[in-house]
Amino acid sequence: VGLLILLASRCSGLSTFRGIRVNRINTASPNTALFSTKGGAAASGPQPIDPNFWPDKFPAKSHCSKCGLCETPYVTHVLDACAFLGEGMKRNIDGLEEAVHGRRRKVEDIVWEGVGVEGMAEEARFGVMQRPMALARGKRVTGAQWTGCVTGIAVSMLEAGMVDAVVCIASKGDGEDEGGWSNPEPILAKTVDEVLRGRGVKPALAPSLRILNELKESPDIQKLLFCGVGCAVQAFRAIQHKLALEEIYVLGTNCVDNSPTPDAAREFLRRSVPDIENTKVLGYEFMQDFRVHVKYDDGSDPSTPSYKRKPYFCLPGDVANFAIADSCLACFDYTNSLADVVVGYMAAPLDSNMDTSYQTITIRNSRGEKMVQSAINARRLDMGTDATGKGNHENFAMATVSSDKIVQKLVTPKTEAGKMKECLRF
């Protein structure tokens, strides 16, 4: 399905209406306590906001993506860094893209309706690219969600001495009560074993920037790799100049719909795939074949996970009400525009399983080239051909939207097909 699926994925499902939802997001009111103490009392300086008060005490309220910035003293920069306050992503991407990558994206190559597309991804939608988006597989990363592209790059950079530490998301606990696969825990990894704790996708909001507290107390770290999704990367880019580091690299992933909490992620599986016990789940993805692929351990062979596949259009229509965070419904940075390298899969051909399928790699600048080359040199990454696609993305997306029960549940009766089609332009 190639690039056509990625184009459709941004316009189909919930993402079609994100422009409608985003106008509900306002800057914090004058009464919002941006610099709350743990107990809520007044303080002489900026204090982290207690995560136990999320989302009510956080500036973006229900639209807070829990990136972790407000849980650090850097909360003072929230109005200029948060992707969901004020002009948010427009401010961050338009304001920082050239500073990060050396130039703005080429907007003149965008493809609209009625034009058959056969070729490479264009920058207008996919962001700055040093070279065409490519296919890749990771190597020698047992236990990865896919083949280990992200983990392979991170480990290779640490082994090569390119960085002193890696910010990544590990899993907190292994049992049902602790959350295991669904419970994200940000860590500042300084060893390969610690980086390997970050294997796999955690389908809940993750406070990546919380580790800035630990980073401030670690003068030995001067070269850093930050791994994160778009909203966290935007906030990190907005404050990275305050960190006084010698070298900063950012490895991003494509991201579209996360659950607000680990409980919500587990509830999604309980309702969608009830015959799989959560304790056996290793991960899940919304795949290119319009099915949810759930990877799990059935107890027969730990080295060969089993899969359950549930058609996307058979999911409960109200799944977005409890299983998808409001911040995700208002996000339009699926492509992670400000990362040096981005790893995803929606523009990649689908093999039978995640463990053997190609992913896509987008290299945005010279730092990204060095990051990917380190993994190639370490034989942790195999590069394939350029990612290509063909067809009319708009017609495909409209057909998807018309069959999507989740979208229909979100759409008001007044929404007409014409307005729906107009959304695809943004």
Side-chain angles (χ1 to χ4, degrees), residues 183-219:
N183 200 352
E185 178 185 28
I187 61 172
L188 189 60
K190 300 180 183 180
T191 68
V192 170
D193 285 343
E194 288 175 339
V195 172
L196 291 175
R197 287 187 59 204
R199 291 169 297 181
V201 175
K202 294 80 186 176
L205 298 181
S208 304
L209 276 73
R210 184 187 294 169
I211 53 78
L212 294 178
N213 293 321
E214 184 179 349
L215 186 63
K216 287 187 67 175
E217 305 301 322
S218 304

Side-chain angles (χ1 to χ4, degrees), residues 27-42 47-66 69-72 75 78-79 82 85:
T27 55
S29 70
N31 296 323
T32 300
L34 293 182
F35 313 133
S36 304
T37 64
K38 294 260 179 174
Q47 297 292 317
I49 301 177
D50 191 328
N52 291 319
F53 294 144
W54 181 86
D56 294 341
K57 296 293 186 180
F58 283 67
K61 304 295 185 182
S62 66
H63 285 92
C64 174
S65 66
K66 207 175 184 179
L69 179 71
C70 292
E71 299 175 35
T72 74
V75 64
V78 65
L79 296 179
C82 179
L85 290 176

Side-chain angles (χ1 to χ4, degrees), residues 347-366:
L350 177 63
D351 202 336
S352 57
N353 296 320
M354 286 181 260
D355 310 90
T356 56
S357 290
Y358 274 112
Q359 290 182 272
T360 52
I361 288 189
T362 304
I363 300 173
R364 301 203 184 281
N365 52 46
S366 58

